[in-house]
Amino acid sequence: GVELSGLAAVADGTSRVFVAKDGKLLGAIDIADTERPEAIRAVAALKEMGIRTILLTGDTADVANAVGKRLGIDDVRPQLLPEQKLHHIQSLVAEKNTVAMVGDGVNDTLALAAANVGVAMGSGTEIAREQADIVLLGNDLERFAQTVAIARRARGIILFNFAGTVVIDVVGIALVM
């Protein structure tokens, strides 16, 4: 066996891989996920719009919680299988939440299909792009936040115009009578 005692602890969210040869420890490699550069800004923009963010991931709890903390995610759900992601999305939809699921992999396809709006990253797997309602070009998560902001603004304009039309029609009918 290889003696591993006395080695320094690994930073939060980092996985350590030990390298040994002929029973002698040669060293260790620390591996950590890196967030997309725009991810923190995208999550902050979504929160400014009053949108709750949830991270559904198959990663370990340590890794998921570290990433969630760095990004400012509201709720982190680690170590999920695709069926568990699906169940979580279905529960949110059943509670009458409007749910947008952003994903890029095979493990996200069931949840993408179950969400009110499935959003795939353009660089994601073909099956994820096929299951999604929206496919973002490239990997820029800020584009998703911008898309939500534009959709909300367009919805507000439509509702304003609809209300204005109804008021005008009511006034017109009253004048005709």
Side-chain angles (χ1 to χ4, degrees):
V2 177
E3 179 62 37
L4 298 177
S5 64
L7 296 174
V10 179
D12 190 28
T14 302
S15 300
R16 178 161 285 169
V17 177
F18 295 99
V19 180
K21 182 176 181 183
D22 298 325
K24 182 178 178 186
L25 179 66
L26 297 178
I29 301 170
D30 291 345
I31 302 170
D33 287 330
T34 56
E35 296 82 26
R36 292 184 172 121
E38 79 286 353
I40 292 172
R41 294 187 306 270
V43 171
L46 292 170
K47 289 178 115 178
E48 281 180 30
M49 290 184 266
I51 295 173
R52 181 172 165 234
T53 55
I54 303 171
L55 175 61
L56 305 176
T57 181
D59 287 336
T60 64
D62 287 343
V63 171
N65 288 327
V67 170
K69 184 176 181 180
R70 287 193 297 266
L71 294 179
I73 301 288
D74 296 316
D75 186 4
V76 177
R77 304 293 173 106
Q79 298 176 303
L80 298 180
L81 297 172
E83 295 78 20
Q84 292 169 310
K85 289 181 183 182
L86 170 64
H87 176 70
H88 193 71
I89 295 294
Q90 288 172 329
S91 296
L92 290 169
V93 170
E95 294 168 3
K96 305 296 182 200
N97 293 293
T98 301
V99 179
M101 167 72 183
V102 181
D104 63 357
V106 172
N107 292 336
D108 299 323
T109 56
L110 296 173
L112 285 168
N116 298 105
V117 179
V119 181
M121 303 305 289
S123 64
T125 63
E126 181 69 27
I127 193 164
R129 292 193 309 263
E130 287 176 8
Q131 288 296 320
D133 300 302
I134 298 171
V135 177
L136 296 177
L137 299 177
N139 287 323
D140 193 341
L141 290 170
E142 275 187 299
R143 288 188 181 169
F144 174 66
Q146 292 167 349
T147 301
V148 172
I150 291 168
R152 284 186 166 185
R153 193 167 41 246
R155 182 175 181 252
I157 292 168
I158 291 168
L159 290 175
F160 179 79
N161 288 340
F162 177 74
T165 301
V166 169
V167 168
I168 291 171
D169 289 348
V170 169
V171 170
I173 291 170
L175 290 175
V176 170
M177 295 174 87

